[in-house]
Amino acid sequence: MKKVISALTVCLMLSNIALARPAPSFRAELLNGDRVSLTQYLKPQRILFLSFWATWCVPCLEELRLVTDRLKQNPNLALDVLTVNVDSSETSSDIKPTLKQNNYRFPVIADPKHEIFSKYQQEKALPYSVLIDESGNILETFSGFHDEMFVKVEGALKKKGLSISGAISEKK
Amino acid sequence: MKRNKLFALLVSAAPLFAAELEEVPSTRAKLTGTTHVLVTSRVDANDPSVAPNQVLKHENSFRAEYGPYSASIGFSSFIPMAGPNPGTKSVTLEKKLVSAEWENWDVKLGDTYQELGRGIALSLYRDDVFGVDNTLEGGSLRFHPQGLTLGIFGGRVNAVRNPVAINPQENPLKDRTVWITGGAASVRVINDLKVGGHYFGTYNQPAGAPGFDKAWQTLGASITADNIFDAVDANLEANTFFGQFSVLGKAKDIPQGYGTYASLSYAPESWKFRLEAKHYQDYAFEFHRPPALEEDVVETTNNENVSGARLYGEKKLEGTRTTLFSSYYTGYDRPLGSTIHHGVAGSRFQFLANTDWELKAGYRWMPDHNNLVHFGLKSKIKTFKGQFLEIGARKQKANLKLNVIPYEEDRNFFDVGYNFNELLSAQLGYEFVPSNDPSVGQHFINIGGRMTWGIVTARAMVGSTSGGTQCSGGVCRVVPPFTGAMIDTIFTF
């Protein structure tokens, strides 16, 4: 038991070392049938907000609503949105009505087998979002929905010298 | 030997496909991985005086990619640490995969997750809650230009040997091998209309046997139509399941099975309506995960011989953050010869500023068999900047045998969690099960926490949980009580 605790402690200490983690690549089909890849969404001078969500996850819908609102308020924000829905077959009939009811317009990849989700997060906790820069590096990860997420999004854009006019972290 | 030939054939064919395809621009090599460690110290429920069994379960997975090519490997270990009967040490190579994905093709050799349609016909999936990780160990090839998908797959089912889970499901393939081979196709006829079909064979081979003792075939078709009259989406999937059963030259037919699912959804403005129906008749296939259409409080054991329909409605009140929802399920359980009814209603709303609530209540009954009342409350109360308190309460009271000896099950769950920030949270749980025999225990208390630090996510829990029905991804099972401690750590790099 002592060995295990020691090993875990060492791992925890090592974990604080910052590692430039690359975003795993994927190719998939959007709900409208278009085939897309991660690379397609990595654009110069822009950051990608990749969000994993499910219809039954209320905080996920809250997060997507706020991101949608922020982008509506500030269309010049250098932020693109791509979402990955992880509903299993039990609840996947709810994806399209949920998008329509909430008037969400962002692209959605259906990932019922969690092929993309498991490349990004093994814990499979929702909501889970990732900020990816144009080079395909993960800048930030967000597990759970917290208001500070927008401060970090803003920070990541600032750090890259990208457009944040409209101050994404502003409260409504 | 046959499997090696199949691998060789697919490997040799891959460059041919690549040569005629548009290459993805070469990118840098990427290496990612996860290490998952679960340490449990579990008290024997039958004899709490005995020292607890302590085990370490661990799994590692690594994935490398370069351009369209990727390779991944996963292995696990089970390490007994202390206790009278903690188990036997083992290290297992669980999963391996080599794949190439181009614009219109992908080739995969090794372990892949397979699901056809809504998972009625076939679903090989991973679920960490129950330690389920079933893959097809073999090969798959898909051709998917715009609007069309053609795929073939073949191999044997590979179930994880050392699941890193507190209450893992028993390995379903201890004494046999299950082979599956087939294909699927779908075409987008017009933008909002997609039709598909699939066929596969399943072959059961007992350990050491030279051949198969059972064989099935599954044939299915599906149609998806979106934006009918600009607002309605529809989906229909039908499967039939037929085959032979032969032992020592004697053969008899397995009853032909049917698995059908349909959904119709309509979402005008702030409303959302969904009508779903299922008809599963003699559909005895274990590697699938069909839609149950039941709330997550019910252990749905019968997905073979049951029919039902559910209507769900939801309304968001304009100008507020209030949502009202309700659903009604009605069905028929053929083995029990009983109808099923389940009504649920609830609301999500803001009670005070910075306070979100969800209330849900339901009643399920099978006349002359059982009934269940359930009630749930969730609340998220924002406190200081970036911090919030979460309160949850759930009650389930069931009368399990209305017609024989009445047996009541009463389960009450309370939990309070505090999120200090996105990296740190703590939780206190209390479960009161007055229907339990006092010797088993009626009060269960646990404390836990979750922490994210750099590349590490760690969860810890100490205390006891009552077990009972646990649901994940629409699949519910009854799990045993747990008393002890656990540390669950995931490193992602």
Side-chain angles (χ1 to χ4, degrees):
Chain A
M1 189 64 181
K2 278 181 184 172
K3 284 180 185 173
V4 173
I5 291 169
S6 306
L8 285 173
T9 309
V10 170
C11 291
L12 281 170
M13 289 167 72
L14 288 173
S15 71
N16 215 23
I17 299 168
L19 295 173
R21 186 180 160 218
S25 305
F26 56 81
R27 284 183 175 280
E29 193 174 280
L30 295 176
L31 288 183
N32 67 5
D34 291 345
R35 286 198 67 79
V36 296
S37 67
L38 173 67
T39 323
Q40 253 174 273
Y41 279 85
L42 303 179
K43 296 170 187 165
Q45 299 297 301
R46 294 186 75 80
I47 285 178
L48 175 67
F49 182 81
L50 179 68
S51 178
F52 296 88
W53 66 283
T55 57
W56 45 263
C57 167
V58 177
C60 299
L61 300 177
E62 180 79 352
E63 179 183 293
L64 292 172
R65 183 183 65 80
L66 286 177
V67 172
T68 304
D69 284 352
R70 301 297 182 191
L71 283 167
K72 271 184 193 164
Q73 283 169 18
N74 181 14
N76 294 326
L77 204 67
L79 191 72
D80 294 312
V81 176
L82 175 63
T83 72
V84 180
N85 176 279
V86 298
D87 275 276
S88 67
S89 52
E90 179 68 31
T91 50
S92 58
S93 292
D94 201 24
I95 301 172
K96 286 168 190 166
T98 298
L99 292 170
K100 285 179 180 172
Q101 185 195 33
N102 291 286
N103 205 22
Y104 291 150
R105 303 284 182 193
F106 41 72
V108 180
I109 292 168
D111 184 29
K113 291 186 277 178
H114 297 182
E115 286 177 310
I116 302 172
F117 196 19
S118 59
K119 286 179 186 175
Y120 280 79
Q121 194 215 40
Q122 196 184 4
E123 193 190 4
K124 306 266 179 72
L126 285 174
Y128 184 73
S129 304
V130 184
L131 274 187
I132 304 170
D133 71 8
E134 61 187 279
S135 308
N137 286 321
I138 293 177
L139 301 174
E140 289 283 353
T141 59
F142 306 104
S143 193
F145 174 60
H146 292 260
D147 289 342
E148 308 91 90
M149 183 184 82
F150 294 99
V151 179
K152 287 196 171 181
V153 171
E154 184 186 41
L157 287 164
K158 266 185 187 170
K159 206 173 171 182
K160 288 275 174 185
L162 302 178
S163 166
I164 56 160
S165 54
I168 195 169
S169 62
E170 274 176 13
K171 294 272 179 189
K172 253 183 161 179
Chain B
M1 190 65 187
K2 278 180 185 170
R3 205 155 46 97
N4 291 340
K5 281 183 182 171
L6 175 68
F7 270 54
L9 179 69
L10 287 168
V11 167
S12 62
L16 293 176
F17 298 126
E20 61 188 37
L21 297 167
E22 185 193 343
E23 276 292 330
V24 174
S26 182
T27 56
R28 66 196 164 106
K30 296 176 182 176
L31 178 66
T32 53
T34 57
T35 294
H36 184 191
V37 181
L38 176 67
V39 180
T40 55
S41 177
R42 184 171 204 143
V43 175
D44 187 337
N46 297 319
D47 188 357
S49 62
V50 177
N53 286 319
Q54 295 177 357
V55 298
L56 186 151
K57 298 174 186 180
H58 155 261
E59 66 178 334
N60 256 333
S61 63
F62 298 102
R63 183 174 181 275
E65 63 172 71
Y66 183 75
Y69 308 101
S70 68
S72 60
I73 190 168
F75 60 90
S76 66
S77 47
F78 181 95
I79 302 169
M81 297 193 301
N85 187 26
T88 312
K89 182 179 178 178
S90 63
V91 179
T92 310
L93 174 62
E94 299 279 8
K95 310 287 177 187
K96 57 272 164 196
L97 175 67
V98 179
S99 69
E101 290 184 69
W102 297 287
E103 181 71 27
N104 295 332
W105 293 85
D106 59 64
V107 183
K108 295 181 179 178
L109 296 172
D111 288 283
T112 56
Y113 296 100
Q114 300 287 341
E115 186 163 279
L116 295 172
R118 299 280 171 165
I120 300 167
L122 174 68
S123 185
L124 297 173
Y125 64 97
R126 175 181 173 123
D127 186 315
D128 295 314
V129 173
F130 298 126
V132 173
D133 191 356
N134 295 331
T135 49
L136 190 69
E137 187 185 27
S140 73
L141 173 67
R142 277 199 320 154
F143 174 54
H144 43 70
Q146 190 69 29
L148 174 71
T149 303
L150 297 170
I152 53 170
F153 53 84
R156 62 179 178 183
V157 180
N158 178 17
V160 67
R161 271 76 134 197
N162 288 329
V164 181
I166 295 176
N167 294 303
Q169 179 185 266
E170 196 179 349
N171 187 339
L173 297 167
K174 268 184 185 170
D175 51 0
R176 65 197 173 116
T177 304
V178 173
W179 301 86
I180 294 177
T181 181
S186 69
V187 60
R188 201 168 278 273
V189 182
I190 53 172
N191 198 33
D192 290 325
L193 180 66
K194 187 176 172 182
V195 295
H198 50 258
Y199 167 79
F200 66 92
T202 308
Y203 310 94
N204 190 75
Q205 182 181 21
F212 310 122
D213 67 342
K214 292 180 190 175
W216 309 264
Q217 281 83 49
T218 302
L219 182 64
S222 64
I223 181 165
T224 302
D226 293 339
N227 299 315
I228 305 167
F229 308 118
D230 287 334
V232 177
D233 301 316
N235 172 255
L236 172 67
E237 179 182 332
N239 297 278
T240 181
F241 176 80
F242 54 100
Q244 301 81 44
F245 174 26
S246 63
V247 176
L248 302 172
K250 294 178 183 175
K252 60 181 178 182
D253 286 339
I254 292 176
Q256 188 156 338
Y258 301 94
T260 305
Y261 168 86
S263 72
L264 201 63
S265 63
Y266 176 50
E269 300 293 330
S270 54
W271 290 89
K272 184 163 81 172
F273 297 102
R274 199 173 66 249
L275 177 64
E276 295 170 280
K278 65 176 183 182
H279 174 67
Y280 307 143
Q281 183 181 323
D282 294 322
Y283 211 91
F285 185 63
E286 62 186 306
F287 297 106
H288 72 158
R289 187 169 51 160
L293 312 190
E294 290 258 28
E295 284 285 314
D296 262 2
V297 291
V298 180
E299 189 208 2
T300 312
T301 51
N302 177 11
N303 266 328
E304 294 178 14
N305 257 314
V306 63
S307 299
R310 177 172 63 175
L311 177 64
Y312 177 88
E314 186 177 303
K315 167 71 177 166
K316 289 177 86 169
L317 301 183
E318 298 291 342
T320 69
R321 292 187 59 189
T322 301
T323 302
L324 304 171
F325 58 88
S326 69
S327 70
Y328 177 69
Y329 170 83
T330 182
Y332 185 70
D333 185 306
R334 273 182 284 282
L336 288 177
S338 171
T339 55
I340 313 162
H341 306 275
H342 194 171
V344 179
S347 176
R348 286 185 289 274
F349 57 95
Q350 262 195 337
F351 180 55
L352 296 167
N354 294 328
T355 307
D356 294 308
W357 295 80
E358 181 184 291
L359 290 173
K360 187 160 78 170
Y363 181 59
R364 184 186 194 270
W365 75 104
M366 294 177 71
D368 299 331
H369 287 276
N370 57 53
N371 64 20
L372 167 76
V373 178
H374 59 93
F375 170 80
L377 175 151
K378 285 182 199 170
S379 173
K380 180 178 172 181
I381 301 163
K382 289 177 189 169
T383 53
F384 305 103
K385 189 183 177 188
Q387 301 187 12
F388 56 87
L389 179 72
E390 285 182 299
I391 298 170
R394 189 156 52 94
K395 181 175 181 67
Q396 292 174 212
K397 191 167 184 179
N399 186 339
L400 296 174
K401 287 182 181 174
L402 288 174
N403 59 340
V404 196
I405 304 166
Y407 171 68
E408 287 204 346
E409 188 182 76
D410 189 358
R411 312 180 78 84
N412 305 275
F413 304 84
F414 306 94
D415 54 79
V416 179
Y418 195 80
N419 282 259
F420 296 95
N421 51 45
E422 63 182 40
L423 306 178
L424 186 65
S425 63
Q427 197 165 38
L428 170 68
Y430 170 61
E431 299 170 20
F432 175 49
V433 189
S435 56
N436 267 5
D437 188 284
S439 64
V440 179
Q442 296 180 332
H443 302 273
F444 302 84
I445 298 172
N446 55 77
I447 55 169
R450 181 181 183 279
M451 184 193 71
T452 304
W453 187 17
I455 60 171
V456 178
T457 298
R459 286 176 300 177
M461 190 274 281
V462 62
S464 58
T465 58
S466 64
T469 304
Q470 190 175 9
C471 300
S472 177
V475 178
C476 297
R477 295 206 175 96
V478 172
V479 300
F482 176 86
T483 300
M486 70 98 182
I487 301 171
D488 192 6
T489 314
I490 299 173
F491 303 82
T492 308
F493 48 88

